[in-house]
């Protein structure tokens, strides 16, 4: 039986399982007392059949169970009862229901009564139940009876309706007076309830809680004093599951008690709830909070008065373990009743100064459960915390204050991390208001607190709407007078760029540029500022000062659209401008350069290319030898830009080439490439339109002039400089005036690297040319100008110089405007280049022509050219116009500076600024007034006071 038939109860086929149960149905009657040894083995198999998926198997199992109970129940109750008791707590509701039915049959057999299917109301039924209860107690014994009835009563609160109904029927059949029986079995029932509450099984815990509530409803005052100590003991000594179960029971008990009962036993209830609220387990505290909520709903603020003062006293003055438990209790209450308790707590903890480490720890715990309501108190909390931190900022602290600082910072992190999303805007706004505080410590700690918001909420990312405010305050603090504030702002920006994606931050690139530009402008103009001098932003001129912003700019440069790329490249240049070379050197400048060189060759709009090339130029100015490895890439980039359709791109490329020359070591290939392009071959040969070719040739000649001027000494091949001179002479008389002007610059630059004989030979050859075409004359005039402003002027012989002067004087009366304008510039260059022994001679020769060309009725371009020429002279010889012989020229310039044409005014204002040497004071003005007519003197003083004194500098690069 045990080895072959009973194991088949788990057989896959339902018919086989049913067959085993049929055997168990007939065996008890057939074997009689011989079946007794098989009860222990067969009854569990029978119970498992009660939950079979096949209905026929379940029916046969129930039949077999009833047969076994009728035949052997009375004699072998000790073998049958344990299986039925286990079935009452089985997870399958079918087994629980069937076990109740069989338990009812067993109790009926023991008592000699029957289980009623309806309500038991008659006196006969009650008397029958009393007899049955007495008979059961006699057979089972008092302890077993208590245990069975307790299990049966628990099932009256089952989660399944059919189980509850079956339990009620069986209970009423064997119990006549429920309250009396409950009092008799109360100790065992409560023990079972507590065990069920502590089981950790959700259904068992729920059933036990309901049952406890039912007992309270039925017994009321009689049971409360007995249950409370048991629950309190479970809370103080039990494990987590036991404590959770006790809280569930406590919640049900409070919910089922009347207000009068609660008030009568409030003292003990408060102690039990307080014990649960202060528990170390978070789950227990949450369940205890529900108990407190139920208690508060019944008795109102009285429960606050009983619990909160004790907790606060323990929190502020108790031992460490008492303080921790008190904080647990306070936070538990706050998690459900923060609106009522918070004002009282904040007033007590925050307004007491200084805040102790215990108070800071308590505040941090409070913030963890009040994220949805704490924002109402930011106006009090944040200034207080910042004030506390600022008072110890930068000080040498003893051990006690070190602990206090740690707790304060933990408190701030708790506040920033647990406030709900709806309060983040208010949090950041309150912190931002303190970033510009007068106190250094307050500003530094406000930056730190803003950084903490970013770090604590990086996963939620709900502060992204406030990024502009954060950027504003961090960047404004980069110009702070305090090094500690600078470091704090830098760390805040680092946190922002680390924890917020660059895709998000790059959206604010234009805003960042405007912030920096505004700050720099304010720093220049405020009292004690640098004016137009170099301004270095303190926050960038420190180790890793630019590191936080660099990823944002790099992202914009590499992956942004056209507008973002332009703003990023230009903005990076602006950062470099206000950062000293010391803090750009090394790996940082290399990190910046790579992305710019990588994308400048892409198909970008001209505005983007201009911004990138300008920034590359700034990098060359600040980078120094660290960029030597990039010279080939720089050179290729700038040469390619010379062929760009945009004139501004070409202009910036020319300027950048000049900056590259100090680093360039292999100049000859570059000169060869530029010479080839200037002649229309090389990269210029692929250009379709004539206008495009002319533009590229002009840019190439301009670049060649710059390269030879700044780096000609590095040319190693003997043919490099002569080739430049040859291309200049060949293109000097080109049909395009821009090419002629550029070619003249090349000749002037190349002559600086020739000896005296070669310079004079070249000049004589150009002067001796008999071609009288306008192109020839204009080219010569431009060439004279650039030759005279170059260092080669010092090696011109007197006869060569005289020949040039007479030709320039002749050109100044030409009918062609272009020739006259070029000659006017050259005339000024003559006066500046002439030696002290010959200058009076050339003034007397050229002054009549110069004065004639300064007639205010002449064209604007001619007047501007004359002003430019005179400015060139003043630049070459700063004392030129101190001579009395030049007084008529200055008088004429004064007259032109007061014309109605604004462009003419600007040009002659620049000349007068140079001629009178305004940057060195009023000595030039006084010298002029001493020799000038009264009326002119009066006008000059007025112009000086209103205009000249306001000019900071004149761009002399444009005059060359």
């Amino acid at each position: 039986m045990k080895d072959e038939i009973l194991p088949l109860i788990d057989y896959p086929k339902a018919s086989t399982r049913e067959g085993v149960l049929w055997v168990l149905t007939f065996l008890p009657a057939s074997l009689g007392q011989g079946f007794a040894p098989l009860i222990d083995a067969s009854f569990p198999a029978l119970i498992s059949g009660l939950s079979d998926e096949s209905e026929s198997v379940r029916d046969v199992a129930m039949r077999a169970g009833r047969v076994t109970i009728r035949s052997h129940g009375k004699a072998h109750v000790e073998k049958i009862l344990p299986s039925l008791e286990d079935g009452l707590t089985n997870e399958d509701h079918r087994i629980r229901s069937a076990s109740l039915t069989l338990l009812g049959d067993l109790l009926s057999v023991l008592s000699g009564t029957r289980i009623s299917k309806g309500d038991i109301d008659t006196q006969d039924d009650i008397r029958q139940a009393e007899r049955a209860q007495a008979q059961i107690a006699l057979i089972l014994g008092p302890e077993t009876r208590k245990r069975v009835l307790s299990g049966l009563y628990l099932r009256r609160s089952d989660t399944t309706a059919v189980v509850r109904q079956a339990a009620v029927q069986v209970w009423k059949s064997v119990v006549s007076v429920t309250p009396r029986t409950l009092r008799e079995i109360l100790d065992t029932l409560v023990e079972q309830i507590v065990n069920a509450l502590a089981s950790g099984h959700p259904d068992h815990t729920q059933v036990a809680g309901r049952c406890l509530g039912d007992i309270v409803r039925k017994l009321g005052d009689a049971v409360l004093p007995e249950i409370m100590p048991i629950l309190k003991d479970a809370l103080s000594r039990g494990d987590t599951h036991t404590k959770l179960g006790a809280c569930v029971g406590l919640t049900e008990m409070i919910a089922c008690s009347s207000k009068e009962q609660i008030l009568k036993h409030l003292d003990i209830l408060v102690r039990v709830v307080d014990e649960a609220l202060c528990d170390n387990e978070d789950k227990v505290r949450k369940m205890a909070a529900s108990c407190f909520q139920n208690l508060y709903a019944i008795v109102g603020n009285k429960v606050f008065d009983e619990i909160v003062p004790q907790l606060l006293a323990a929190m502020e003055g108790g031992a460490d373990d008492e303080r921790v438990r008190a904080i647990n209790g306070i936070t538990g209450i706050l998690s459900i009743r923060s609106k009522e308790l918070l004002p009282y707590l904040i007033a007590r903890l925050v307004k007491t100064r200084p805040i102790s480490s215990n108070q800071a720890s308590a505040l941090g715990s409070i913030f963890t459960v009040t994220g949805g309501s704490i924002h109402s108190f930011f106006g009090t909390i944040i200034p207080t915390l910042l004030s506390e931190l600022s008072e110890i900022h930068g000080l040498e602290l003893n051990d006690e204050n070190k602990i206090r600082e740690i707790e304060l910072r933990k408190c701030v992190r708790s506040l920033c991390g647990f406030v709900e999303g709806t309060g983040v805007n208010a949090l950041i706004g309150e912190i931002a208001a303190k970033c510009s505080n007068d106190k250094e410590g307050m500003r530094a700690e406000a930056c730190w607190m803003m950084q903490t918001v970013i770090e604590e909420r990086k996963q939620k990312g709900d502060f992204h709407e406030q990024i502009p405010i954060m950027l504003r305050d961090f960047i404004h603090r980069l110009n702070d007078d305090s090094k500690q504030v600078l470091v704090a702002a830098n760390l805040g920006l680092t946190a922002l760029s680390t924890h917020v994606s660059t895709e998000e931050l790059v959206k604010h690139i234009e805003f960042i540029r405007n912030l920096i530009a505004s700050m720099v402008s304010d720093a220049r103009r405020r009292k004690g500022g640098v004016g137009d001098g170099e301004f270095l932003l303190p926050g960038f001129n420190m180790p890793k000062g630019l590191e936080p912003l660099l990823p944002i700019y790099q992202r914009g440069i590499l992956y942004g659209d056209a507008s973002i790329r332009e703003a990023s490249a230009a903005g990076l240049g602006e950062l470099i401008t206000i950062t000293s070379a010391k803090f750009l050197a090394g790996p940082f400048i290399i990190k910046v350069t790579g992305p710019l060189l990588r994308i400048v060759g892409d198909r970008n709009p001209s505005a983007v290319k201009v911004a990138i090339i300008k920034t590359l130029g700034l990098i060359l100015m600040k980078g120094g030898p660290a960029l030597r490895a990039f010279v080939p890439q720089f050179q290729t980039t700038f040469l390619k830009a010379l062929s760009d359709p945009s004139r501004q791109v070409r202009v910036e490329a020319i300027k950048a080439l000049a900056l590259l020359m100090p680093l360039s070591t292999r100049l000859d290939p570059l000169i060869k490439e530029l010479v080839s392009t200037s002649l229309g071959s090389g990269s210029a040969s692929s250009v379709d339109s004539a206008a495009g070719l002319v533009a590229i040739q002009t840019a190439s000649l301009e670049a060649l002039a710059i390269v030879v001027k700044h780096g000609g000494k590095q040319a190693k091949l003997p043919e490099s400089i002569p080739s430049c001179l040859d291309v200049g002479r060949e293109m000097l008389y080109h049909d395009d005036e821009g090419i002629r002007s550029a070619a003249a610059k090349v000749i002037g630059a190349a002559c600086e690297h020739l000896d005296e004989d070669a310079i004079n030979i070249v000049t004589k050859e150009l002067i001796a040319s008999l071609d009288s075409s306008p192109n020839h004359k204009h080219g010569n005039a431009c060439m004279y100008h650039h030759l005279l402003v170059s260092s080669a002027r010092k090696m011109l012989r007197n006869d060569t110089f005289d020949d040039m002067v007479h030709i320039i004087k002749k050109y100044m009366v030409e009918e062609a405007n272009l020739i006259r304008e070029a000659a006017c510039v050259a005339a000024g260059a003559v006066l500046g280049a002439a030696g002290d022994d010959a200058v009076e001679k050339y003034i007397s020769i050229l002054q009549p022509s110069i004065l004639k060309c300064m007639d205010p009725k002449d064209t604007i371009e001619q007047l501007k050219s004359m002003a430019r020429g005179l400015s060139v002279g003043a630049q070459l010889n700063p004392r030129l116009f101190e001579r009395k012989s030049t007084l008529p020229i200055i008088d004429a310039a004064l007259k032109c500076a007061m014309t109605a044409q604004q462009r003419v005014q600007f040009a002659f204002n620049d000349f007068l600024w140079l001629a009178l040497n305004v940057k060195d004071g009023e000595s030039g003005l006084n010298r002029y007034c001493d020799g000038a007519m009264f009326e002119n003197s009066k006008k000059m003083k007025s112009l000086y006071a209103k205009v000249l004194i306001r000019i900071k500098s004149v761009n002399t690069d444009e005059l060359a």
Side-chain angles (χ1 to χ4, degrees), residues 492-554:
L493 279 173
T494 301
L496 194 63
S497 62
T498 302
H499 300 304
V500 179
S501 66
T502 50
E503 293 93 331
E504 176 67 28
L505 292 175
V506 81
K507 298 175 185 176
H508 305 283
I509 197 76
E510 198 64 57
F511 180 67
I512 294 173
R513 284 188 67 198
N514 291 338
L515 282 174
I516 294 173
S518 173
M519 185 169 56
V520 171
S521 175
D522 179 63
R524 288 184 183 281
R525 304 297 172 235
R526 70 186 177 187
K527 186 176 181 180
V530 297
D532 290 332
E534 184 183 33
F535 171 75
L536 300 175
L537 189 66
F540 292 157
N541 291 275
M542 56 187 287
K544 297 186 178 181
L546 281 175
E547 287 286 349
L549 293 180
L550 182 59
I552 307 173
Y553 285 89
Q554 284 183 321

Side-chain angles (χ1 to χ4, degrees), residues 218-234:
K218 286 184 169 63
L219 301 183
D221 292 342
V223 72
L224 282 175
E226 296 185 34
I227 294 176
M228 290 293 184
I230 296 172
L231 293 178
K232 190 174 186 300
D233 186 66

Side-chain angles (χ1 to χ4, degrees), residues 129-141:
E130 288 180 350
R131 286 195 299 272
Q133 192 169 350
Q135 187 67 22
I136 290 169
L138 182 64
I139 295 173
L140 296 180

Side-chain angles (χ1 to χ4, degrees), residues 348-363:
R348 182 156 178 170
L349 294 175
V350 173
K351 293 184 178 179
T352 304
R353 305 289 297 277
I355 296 176
S356 67
S357 57
N358 287 348
Q359 288 174 317
S361 176
L363 275 172

